[in-house]
Amino acid sequence: MLIISSFAVMHLLVAAILISVVSFANAFTRNDFPPNFLFGAGTSAYQVEGAAKEDGRKPSIWDTFAHAGNAGQFEGNGDIACDQYHKYKDDVKLMAKMGLDAYRFSISWSRLIPHGKGPVNPKGLQYYNNLINELTSQGIQPHVTLHHWDLPQALEDEYEGWVSRRIVKDFTAYADVCFKEFGDRVKYWTTVNEANGGAQGGYGFGFLPPQRCTLPSIYNCSKGNSSTEPYFAAHHMLLAHASASRLYRKKYQVKQQGLIGLNLLVFGLIPLTNTSEDIIATQRTQDFNIGWFLNPLIFGKYPSTMEKNVGSRLPIFTSRESNLVKGSIDFLGVNFYSSFYIKNNPGSLKKKNRDYIADMAVEVKPYSGNGTFADELPVTPWVLQGMLHSLKNDYGDFPIYIHENGQLTGRNSSLDDWPRVWYLHEYIGGMFDMLRNGLNIRGYFVWAFLDVFELLNGFERSFGLYYVHFEDPTLRRQPKLSAVWYSNFLNDRPVDSKITMKTEENSSVLANTHLVHIAT
Ligand SMILES: *[C@@H]1O[C@H](CO)[C@@H](O)[C@H](O)[C@H]1NC(C)=O
Ligand SMILES: *[C@@H]1O[C@H](CO)[C@@H](O)[C@H](O)[C@H]1NC(C)=O
Ligand SMILES: *[C@@H]1O[C@H](CO)[C@@H](O)[C@H](O)[C@H]1NC(C)=O
Ligand SMILES: *[C@@H]1O[C@H](CO)[C@@H](O)[C@H](O)[C@H]1NC(C)=O
Ligand SMILES: *[C@@H]1O[C@H](CO)[C@@H](O)[C@H](O)[C@H]1NC(C)=O
Ligand SMILES: *[C@@H]1O[C@H](CO)[C@@H](O)[C@H](O)[C@H]1NC(C)=O
């Protein structure tokens, strides 16, 4: 999960709190959704597994990053995390009890192939076989991501990971092991999580592993080149994805009957004003954020706005590569959390050594929505709907899985996580509208199943449906209100009509919110 850095620095709104008891009735039920529409929840390997040094696992760039004290403003690392490595059986029981159709998780490349290439670690293989078997025995579909930002450190050390074209071969070999060993039971493969977020954050801004950048005022990266490397990294992600996808289609797909896709972080983008400059700038931002990947994946080339503004720093696909990349997704995974206002900023194109943002030639301001509090993510299902309609217009009608969507709260705040309940209620209700309006959405995964180790938030703030008692050596899991709500929804049980909600006293914002509509 990526929270753009401006969210990481938002402060809690201090306000008087009053407790009110309100009715909360769903206008929809699980049965209103098509029977094959999937509801799930997700995690990723480094954030949930723990056992970082056990059974032959070697470090990833995320271990290195977290151990250097880079997990946001806070301490923490994934050495133990939720210890799902040892507790997967109990966790799968909780998932089954909750009624999840599917669990989205990622494979730790350096657990399966500790040095990134070469021999497979039998203990790693066994772990993922156990987890997958446990899931399928409970009727829960495994949806597997191959790369969730945790590149084996060995490959970073050897050739600078995604910056080098050499990654394509090693990633394909890793994917081959996964398809071969797990593909009889895994029918949904995502090659790269938030490919766009990883390329920007890891190689442009430097706030994600491997923390390469040349923007000294922000993260003081020791290596990198923000003018070029985000584009190289993205290019190699596309080639690696396409190579793995071709392999899957040639060697496995007919027999295993699965699908392969890629995942992008989709932001809501709203022109700051209705001037044509800002409207065009917003489209250009969409080209840089989404078209960067989807144009090659659908049309075999980068958007012309990128070719124009990035110029010779934008890598070029040979015609063979272009044909390889084009058409290489069966579905798109979408992670959606936040939205931005976009203002045209042509002046940035005059800069020397431009980075990604300067190339985009826009100013970006966080959008806080019209019915939310400052410390939480805005609840804007209509923005997601608008973005998905624009993707459909621009790129065609391929299947979409909402891979991540969820609400951030203080990790140790109350178990009565009503902001998360509200958020899920609104977005799941929104899904229903989106399907009715003809969007080809096939599933929705809450981020996250548990309070995992969060990038940029460490263990301080979290998205989990389940609270984890980190102070307790057993790392006991406890359902939050949102877990109960989701479970009731999934099991088509009536959702509690009385929910105690904390509302901010006298918030003028609140008076306009849907919360009040459903509350009365
Ligand atoms: C980067 O270095 C500058 C100057 O030494 C320092 O003021 C700043 O706090 C550093 N930033 C980070 C994120 O460490
Ligand atoms: C980044 O790479 C470009 C193109 O090779 C080069 O012109 C520029 O000087 C490099 N920037 C830094 C900070 O090294
Ligand atoms: C832009 O136009 C729309 C539709 O006419 C209107 O609803 C919106 O308020 C306008 N936005 C701004 C910032 O003027
Ligand atoms: C939550 O965690 C913070 C930081 O560790 C701590 O200062 C605070 O007292 C904790 N709050 C509760 C309710 O435990
Ligand atoms: C409530 O809102 C009114 C009008 O904006 C303001 O005058 C008043 O001070 C607010 N009260 C509190 C407790 O914030
Ligand atoms: C917020 O604004 C959007 C767009 O103007 C509107 O569609 C939506 O209904 C509003 N939501 C609330 C809760 O007021």
Side-chain angles (χ1 to χ4, degrees):
M1 151 66 197
L2 171 70
I3 305 277
I4 203 78
S5 39
S6 47
F7 280 106
V9 299
M10 275 190 177
H11 296 293
L12 285 175
L13 188 72
V14 182
I17 296 229
L18 70 91
I19 311 273
S20 55
V21 177
V22 294
S23 311
F24 192 96
N26 282 342
F28 53 86
T29 70
R30 172 71 174 96
N31 278 341
D32 294 327
F33 286 83
N36 53 358
F37 188 92
L38 297 175
F39 282 101
T43 62
S44 87
Y46 188 65
Q47 295 175 276
V48 76
E49 285 179 1
K53 297 179 182 119
E54 254 175 81
D55 289 347
R57 182 184 180 277
K58 293 286 181 204
S60 73
I61 57 174
W62 200 340
D63 298 59
T64 309
F65 180 84
H67 277 274
N70 283 321
Q73 307 103 304
F74 306 107
E75 298 288 307
N77 58 62
D79 285 1
I80 300 173
C82 304
D83 200 25
Q84 190 165 80
Y85 187 71
H86 296 109
K87 299 187 183 306
Y88 68 92
K89 280 193 182 167
D90 292 338
D91 282 346
V92 173
K93 275 199 198 103
L94 293 179
M95 293 172 204
K97 209 171 137 206
M98 180 177 260
L100 297 187
D101 303 318
Y103 177 47
R104 174 177 181 253
F105 64 94
S106 75
I107 290 177
S108 161
W109 184 345
S110 63
R111 188 184 295 289
L112 192 63
I113 305 177
H115 297 283
K117 56 186 170 185
V120 172
N121 172 16
K123 293 269 175 69
L125 197 58
Q126 190 187 347
Y127 171 67
Y128 293 109
N129 272 322
N130 290 346
L131 172 61
I132 291 165
N133 288 342
E134 202 65 26
L135 288 165
T136 51
S137 75
Q138 298 281 355
I140 299 171
Q141 294 181 6
H143 285 234
V144 175
T145 301
L146 294 175
H147 183 69
H148 201 115
W149 299 346
D150 50 351
L151 186 83
Q153 184 65 42
L155 301 184
E156 186 70 21
D157 294 343
E158 186 185 338
Y159 54 70
E160 301 184 329
W162 290 108
V163 175
S164 166
R165 183 178 284 262
R166 291 170 65 188
I167 192 75
V168 176
K169 180 164 166 263
D170 290 336
F171 182 80
T172 309
Y174 159 58
D176 196 8
V177 172
C178 295
F179 302 149
K180 175 163 147 275
E181 298 291 345
F182 311 128
D184 56 335
R185 289 149 294 158
V186 173
K187 304 301 167 198
Y188 296 88
W189 295 102
T190 301
T191 51
V192 184
N193 175 66
E194 291 186 8
N196 53 347
Q200 293 159 23
Y203 303 86
F205 305 114
F207 62 83
L208 300 183
Q211 204 179 27
R212 297 176 66 92
C213 66
T214 38
L215 299 169
S217 57
I218 304 183
Y219 273 96
N220 303 332
C221 304
S222 59
K223 304 174 195 167
N225 184 334
S226 300
S227 305
T228 53
E229 288 191 1
Y231 302 111
F232 294 158
H235 195 70
H236 299 141
M237 285 177 195
L238 280 163
L239 293 175
H241 158 83
S243 165
S245 174
R246 182 182 56 176
L247 173 78
Y248 185 66
R249 287 172 173 181
K250 272 174 71 170
K251 201 165 150 191
Y252 298 101
Q253 195 167 39
V254 169
K255 191 154 141 239
Q256 297 182 348
Q257 292 288 302
L259 300 174
I260 187 159
L262 178 116
N263 173 289
L264 295 174
L265 178 62
V266 172
F267 292 119
L269 302 174
I270 304 161
L272 184 67
T273 70
N274 278 336
T275 57
S276 58
E277 287 84 357
D278 285 352
I279 291 168
I280 292 167
T282 304
Q283 179 58 49
R284 189 167 63 243
T285 308
Q286 178 75 344
D287 288 347
F288 269 75
N289 190 46
I290 300 299
W292 194 8
F293 287 84
L294 270 192
N295 274 61
L297 291 169
I298 305 295
F299 307 123
K301 63 188 281 290
Y302 287 116
S304 55
T305 44
M306 289 189 78
E307 289 174 346
K308 179 159 171 259
N309 287 14
V310 184
S312 63
R313 286 173 290 120
L314 192 66
I316 291 169
F317 293 110
T318 64
S319 63
R320 195 192 67 85
E321 288 167 348
S322 165
N323 286 328
L324 185 71
V325 172
K326 186 174 166 178
S328 64
I329 53 169
D330 297 324
F331 66 87
L332 179 70
V334 165
N335 294 359
F336 183 83
Y337 293 97
S338 37
S339 300
F340 294 92
Y341 285 118
I342 303 299
K343 184 178 185 315
N344 189 34
N345 180 26
S348 73
L349 289 175
K350 298 196 186 91
K351 280 193 197 164
K352 277 204 182 121
N353 292 326
R354 294 199 297 274
D355 67 339
Y356 173 88
I357 292 279
D359 286 334
M360 221 160 35
V362 299
E363 264 176 50
V364 175
K365 299 179 186 203
Y367 167 80
S368 59
N370 56 352
T372 53
F373 306 115
D375 59 327
E376 284 140 19
L377 297 173
V379 182
T380 57
W382 60 90
V383 175
L384 173 59
Q385 175 155 196
M387 296 310 293
L388 296 180
H389 279 296
S390 88
L391 290 185
K392 186 175 166 181
N393 277 342
D394 295 349
Y395 298 104
D397 193 13
F398 43 77
I400 303 253
Y401 287 86
I402 305 299
H403 270 164
E404 291 186 19
N405 181 237
Q407 182 57 288
L408 187 63
T409 55
R411 199 194 67 83
N412 60 3
S413 65
S414 162
L415 290 169
D416 288 348
D417 59 340
W418 66 267
R420 184 165 294 108
V421 172
W422 177 33
Y423 187 100
L424 296 179
H425 180 275
E426 293 296 290
Y427 275 96
I428 292 173
M431 284 298 116
F432 186 59
D433 287 343
M434 294 177 217
L435 292 177
R436 251 195 326 224
N437 290 333
L439 288 172
N440 192 359
I441 307 170
R442 304 291 179 89
Y444 174 88
F445 293 75
V446 176
W447 184 268
F449 179 62
L450 295 170
D451 280 351
V452 300
F453 173 62
E454 279 296 339
L455 197 66
L456 305 182
N457 292 283
F459 291 107
E460 284 296 311
R461 306 189 73 206
S462 66
F463 290 86
L465 297 167
Y466 274 85
Y467 181 82
V468 180
H469 287 265
F470 287 104
E471 76 296 344
D472 176 342
T474 69
L475 300 174
R476 188 160 53 88
R477 280 70 161 131
Q478 190 174 351
K480 301 181 193 175
L481 190 61
S482 55
V484 175
W485 182 88
Y486 198 37
S487 179
N488 284 343
F489 166 72
L490 291 176
N491 290 288
D492 224 20
R493 285 191 291 260
V495 175
D496 267 358
S497 62
K498 298 273 183 202
I499 287 184
T500 304
M501 296 210 183
K502 294 182 181 63
T503 53
E504 286 184 60
E505 188 180 4
N506 202 27
S507 165
S508 57
V509 171
L510 189 69
N512 299 323
T513 65
H514 197 175
L515 183 60
V516 172
H517 300 315
I518 52 183
T520 48

